[in-house]
Amino acid sequence: MSSKLIRIALVGLSTHATSSWAATAHLPYLLSPRGQTQYKVVALLNSSQEAAEKARSHFNLPSDVKAYGDPAQLAADDEVDLVSIVVRSDKHYATVEPSFRAGKAVYVEWPLTESLERSLALVGKRDGRDRNVIGLQGRLSPVAAKVKELMASGRLGKVLNSQVRGFFAMGLGKQPGTLLEGPMEEMFSTRGIGGNHFSIGYAHMVDLVHSVLGEFKDFHSQLQIRWPEVVIVDKDGVQLRTRKNDVPDFVSAHGVLAPGAANIQDGATLSVLYRSGKQFKGELPFVWYIQGQTGELKITSPIGPILQAATVPGVKIELHDYKTDEVTEIEWESEWKDWQKELATPGCKLVGDMYNRYALWYQQEDKDAAPVGGEWPTFDDAIRRHEELDRMLKDFDKTSQR
């Protein structure tokens, strides 16, 4: 096993970025005791070389970390092994494409690009096993692992059906139909950018569910834009202006699950309901039921459907045993690895697991063998999720044009 450090370039590490995900979820692991045994940050790419230099200084990175403002320059750097893309989704393609074409390994936060068409254009036809990384890290949650373990154990019997309901209020004002002013207002009201409540909130939620129950064999969906025009408000709720909105903010999907996942009965169904905005007062913003022949699971979260940030207390797994008619809370937090427990930043635990799994595979001699640290979501998974979302949007557009 090689002890060579993976030389990594971070794209989008900035104090002024639309999202602080690079600073709060990626960098803390890379600079953690475990991360530093696997990785070395050797380059930054920002909108300009000056911006990259400012980020290097702000985050106290060594002076020999290279600062780039041009993706082509980064792609030409032979001293970079892995490029991590943490920028706005409509900038993914232009940012990652040069490094990807140059043969570098890439880690791209979800979504891969702003659309299925662009994602397919990026990925193209590939031979061999995909070892790139897509940021669908929710499927690595200990919650998902524990639920799969319970299903495989037979404690539910054959799974008959599942229902999941999620609400996502990120970037919204206190009143329905409002968005907070700032860089996210454009993202959350413009479908073409590709980073909105449907493509992020709904996609992360349903990907977690699919990672446990398997994909749809077939499904139908109903999307709705409840507010074709949204009101932009400041942090105090004062109305500033209005914006056109073409992003579906209410999603319903229902279908039959494909065979393959452990203990799923043929013909088992999955029903998903999602909406942007807050839940009914006093209720939880994420509730997921999995009913089996002999018992039922209920998974709940007080922070909504984004379990990749499930580092706060309150996420519960409960099992209703039909035979005893008792409800038992299933402990899952012990599933965190020791090094993950030391990472306090929300989201960093699962992003760290992505990096850890990739590094363990990178260090193993037989790269064609199964990763010793476990699989991670790849570009193949990204295309699969993009295909599902694309079908839903096309069906919605056809219905809207009638």
Side-chain angles (χ1 to χ4, degrees), residues 299-335:
I299 303 100
T300 57
S301 170
I303 61 170
I306 308 299
L307 288 192
Q308 61 264 41
T311 57
V312 297
V315 178
K316 289 184 178 181
I317 303 175
E318 297 172 282
L319 171 62
H320 178 196
D321 187 307
Y322 291 160
K323 185 175 181 179
T324 64
D325 199 30
E326 294 181 349
V327 175
T328 305
E329 184 171 342
I330 306 297
E331 193 279 328
W332 63 269
E333 294 201 50
S334 61
E335 299 292 318

Coordinates of all heavy atoms in Angstrom, one line a residue, residues 299-335:
I299 N -38.3 7.2 10.0 CA -37.0 8.0 10.1 C -37.4 9.5 10.1 O -38.1 9.9 9.1 CB -36.1 7.7 9.0 CG1 -35.7 6.2 8.9 CG2 -34.8 8.5 9.1 CD1 -36.5 5.4 7.9
T300 N -37.0 10.3 11.0 CA -37.3 11.7 11.1 C -36.1 12.5 11.4 O -35.1 12.1 11.9 CB -38.4 11.9 12.2 OG1 -37.8 11.5 13.5 CG2 -39.7 11.2 12.0
S301 N -36.2 13.8 10.9 CA -35.1 14.7 11.1 C -35.7 16.1 11.4 O -36.6 16.5 10.7 CB -34.2 14.8 9.9 OG -33.3 15.9 10.0
P302 N -35.1 16.8 12.4 CA -35.6 18.1 12.7 C -35.0 19.2 11.8 O -35.4 20.4 11.9 CB -35.2 18.3 14.1 CG -33.9 17.6 14.2 CD -34.1 16.4 13.4
I303 N -34.1 18.8 10.9 CA -33.4 19.8 10.1 C -33.8 19.7 8.6 O -33.2 20.3 7.7 CB -31.9 19.8 10.2 CG1 -31.3 18.4 9.8 CG2 -31.5 20.1 11.6 CD1 -29.8 18.3 9.7
G304 N -34.7 18.8 8.3 CA -35.1 18.6 6.9 C -34.5 17.4 6.2 O -33.8 16.6 6.9
P305 N -34.7 17.3 4.9 CA -34.3 16.1 4.2 C -32.8 16.0 3.8 O -32.4 15.0 3.2 CB -35.1 16.2 2.9 CG -35.3 17.7 2.7 CD -35.4 18.3 4.0
I306 N -32.0 17.0 4.2 CA -30.6 16.9 3.8 C -29.8 16.2 4.9 O -29.1 16.9 5.8 CB -30.0 18.4 3.6 CG1 -31.0 19.1 2.6 CG2 -28.6 18.3 3.0 CD1 -31.1 18.5 1.3
L307 N -29.7 14.9 4.9 CA -29.1 14.1 5.9 C -27.6 14.2 5.8 O -26.9 13.7 6.7 CB -29.6 12.7 5.9 CG -31.0 12.5 6.4 CD1 -31.3 11.0 6.6 CD2 -31.3 13.2 7.7
Q308 N -27.0 14.7 4.7 CA -25.5 14.8 4.7 C -25.1 15.9 5.7 O -23.9 15.9 6.0 CB -25.0 15.2 3.3 CG -25.5 16.5 2.7 CD -26.7 16.2 1.8 OE1 -27.6 15.5 2.1 NE2 -26.7 16.9 0.7
A309 N -26.0 16.6 6.2 CA -25.6 17.6 7.3 C -26.2 17.2 8.6 O -26.3 17.9 9.5 CB -26.2 19.0 6.9
A310 N -26.5 15.9 8.7 CA -27.2 15.3 9.9 C -26.1 15.1 11.1 O -25.9 14.0 11.5 CB -27.9 14.0 9.6
T311 N -25.6 16.2 11.5 CA -24.6 16.1 12.6 C -25.2 16.7 13.9 O -24.5 16.9 14.9 CB -23.3 16.9 12.3 OG1 -23.6 18.2 12.0 CG2 -22.6 16.2 11.1
V312 N -26.5 17.1 13.9 CA -27.1 17.6 15.0 C -28.0 16.6 15.7 O -28.4 15.6 15.0 CB -28.0 18.8 14.7 CG1 -27.2 20.0 14.1 CG2 -29.1 18.4 13.7
P313 N -28.2 16.7 17.0 CA -29.1 15.7 17.7 C -30.5 15.8 17.1 O -30.9 16.8 16.6 CB -29.1 16.2 19.1 CG -27.9 17.0 19.3 CD -27.7 17.7 17.9
G314 N -31.2 14.7 17.2 CA -32.6 14.7 16.9 C -33.0 13.8 15.7 O -34.2 13.6 15.5
V315 N -32.1 13.4 14.9 CA -32.4 12.5 13.8 C -32.7 11.1 14.4 O -31.9 10.6 15.2 CB -31.3 12.3 12.8 CG1 -31.7 11.3 11.7 CG2 -31.0 13.7 12.1
K316 N -33.9 10.6 14.2 CA -34.3 9.3 14.8 C -34.7 8.3 13.8 O -35.2 8.5 12.7 CB -35.6 9.6 15.7 CG -35.3 10.4 16.9 CD -36.6 10.5 17.8 CE -36.4 11.3 19.0 NZ -37.7 11.4 19.8
I317 N -34.4 7.0 14.2 CA -34.9 5.8 13.5 C -35.8 5.1 14.6 O -35.3 4.7 15.6 CB -33.8 4.9 13.0 CG1 -32.9 5.7 12.1 CG2 -34.4 3.7 12.3 CD1 -31.6 4.9 11.7
E318 N -37.0 4.9 14.3 CA -37.9 4.1 15.2 C -38.5 2.9 14.5 O -38.8 3.0 13.3 CB -39.1 5.0 15.7 CG -38.6 6.2 16.5 CD -39.7 7.2 16.8 OE1 -40.0 8.0 15.9 OE2 -40.2 7.2 17.9
L319 N -38.6 1.8 15.2 CA -39.1 0.5 14.6 C -40.4 0.1 15.4 O -40.4 0.0 16.6 CB -38.1 -0.6 14.8 CG -38.5 -2.0 14.4 CD1 -39.0 -2.1 13.0 CD2 -37.4 -3.0 14.7
H320 N -41.5 0.0 14.6 CA -42.7 -0.5 15.2 C -42.8 -2.0 14.8 O -42.9 -2.4 13.7 CB -43.9 0.2 14.6 CG -45.2 -0.3 15.0 ND1 -46.4 0.0 14.4 CD2 -45.6 -1.0 16.1 CE1 -47.4 -0.5 15.0 NE2 -46.9 -1.2 16.1
D321 N -42.7 -2.8 15.9 CA -42.8 -4.3 15.7 C -44.2 -4.7 15.8 O -44.9 -4.5 16.8 CB -41.9 -5.0 16.8 CG -41.8 -6.5 16.6 OD1 -42.9 -7.1 16.4 OD2 -40.7 -7.0 16.6
Y322 N -44.7 -5.2 14.7 CA -46.2 -5.6 14.7 C -46.5 -6.7 15.6 O -47.6 -6.7 16.2 CB -46.6 -6.0 13.2 CG -46.5 -4.9 12.2 CD1 -46.5 -5.2 10.9 CD2 -46.6 -3.5 12.6 CE1 -46.5 -4.1 9.9 CE2 -46.6 -2.5 11.7 CZ -46.5 -2.8 10.3 OH -46.5 -1.8 9.4
K323 N -45.6 -7.6 15.9 CA -45.9 -8.7 16.7 C -46.1 -8.3 18.2 O -47.0 -8.7 18.9 CB -44.8 -9.8 16.6 CG -45.1 -11.1 17.4 CD -44.0 -12.1 17.1 CE -44.3 -13.4 17.9 NZ -43.3 -14.5 17.6
T324 N -45.2 -7.5 18.6 CA -45.2 -7.0 20.0 C -46.0 -5.7 20.2 O -46.3 -5.3 21.3 CB -43.8 -6.8 20.6 OG1 -43.2 -5.7 19.8 CG2 -43.0 -8.1 20.4
D325 N -46.2 -5.0 19.1 CA -46.9 -3.7 19.1 C -46.1 -2.7 19.8 O -46.7 -1.7 20.4 CB -48.3 -3.8 19.6 CG -49.2 -2.6 19.2 OD1 -48.9 -2.0 18.1 OD2 -50.1 -2.2 19.9
E326 N -44.8 -2.9 19.9 CA -43.9 -1.9 20.6 C -43.1 -1.1 19.6 O -42.7 -1.6 18.5 CB -43.0 -2.7 21.5 CG -43.7 -3.4 22.7 CD -42.7 -4.0 23.6 OE1 -41.5 -4.1 23.3 OE2 -43.1 -4.5 24.7
V327 N -42.8 0.1 20.0 CA -42.0 1.0 19.2 C -40.7 1.2 19.9 O -40.6 1.5 21.1 CB -42.7 2.4 19.0 CG1 -41.7 3.3 18.2 CG2 -44.0 2.2 18.2
T328 N -39.6 0.9 19.2 CA -38.2 1.0 19.7 C -37.4 2.0 18.9 O -37.5 2.0 17.7 CB -37.5 -0.4 19.7 OG1 -38.3 -1.4 20.3 CG2 -36.2 -0.3 20.3
E329 N -36.7 2.9 19.7 CA -35.8 3.8 19.0 C -34.5 3.1 18.7 O -33.9 2.5 19.6 CB -35.6 5.1 19.8 CG -34.7 6.1 19.0 CD -34.6 7.4 19.7 OE1 -35.5 7.7 20.6 OE2 -33.7 8.2 19.4
I330 N -34.0 3.1 17.5 CA -32.8 2.4 17.1 C -31.6 3.4 17.1 O -31.7 4.4 16.5 CB -33.0 1.8 15.6 CG1 -34.2 0.9 15.5 CG2 -31.7 1.1 15.3 CD1 -34.2 -0.3 16.4
E331 N -30.6 3.0 17.9 CA -29.5 3.9 18.0 C -28.6 3.8 16.7 O -28.4 2.7 16.2 CB -28.6 3.4 19.2 CG -27.5 4.4 19.7 CD -26.3 4.3 18.8 OE1 -25.9 3.2 18.3 OE2 -25.6 5.3 18.6
W332 N -28.2 4.9 16.2 CA -27.4 4.9 15.0 C -26.1 5.7 15.1 O -25.2 5.5 14.3 CB -28.2 5.4 13.8 CG -28.6 6.8 14.0 CD1 -29.8 7.3 14.5 CD2 -27.9 8.0 13.6 NE1 -29.9 8.6 14.5 CE2 -28.7 9.1 13.9 CE3 -26.7 8.2 13.0 CZ2 -28.3 10.4 13.7 CZ3 -26.3 9.5 12.7 CH2 -27.1 10.6 13.1
E333 N -26.0 6.6 16.0 CA -24.9 7.5 16.1 C -23.5 6.8 16.3 O -22.5 7.4 16.0 CB -25.1 8.7 17.1 CG -26.3 9.6 16.7 CD -26.2 10.9 17.3 OE1 -25.1 11.6 17.3 OE2 -27.2 11.3 17.9
S334 N -23.6 5.7 16.9 CA -22.3 4.9 17.2 C -21.7 4.5 15.8 O -20.6 4.0 15.8 CB -22.6 3.7 18.1 OG -23.5 2.8 17.5
E335 N -22.5 4.6 14.7 CA -22.0 4.2 13.4 C -20.9 5.2 12.9 O -20.1 4.8 12.0 CB -23.1 4.1 12.4 CG -24.2 3.1 12.7 CD -23.7 1.6 12.6 OE1 -22.9 1.3 11.7 OE2 -24.0 0.8 13.5

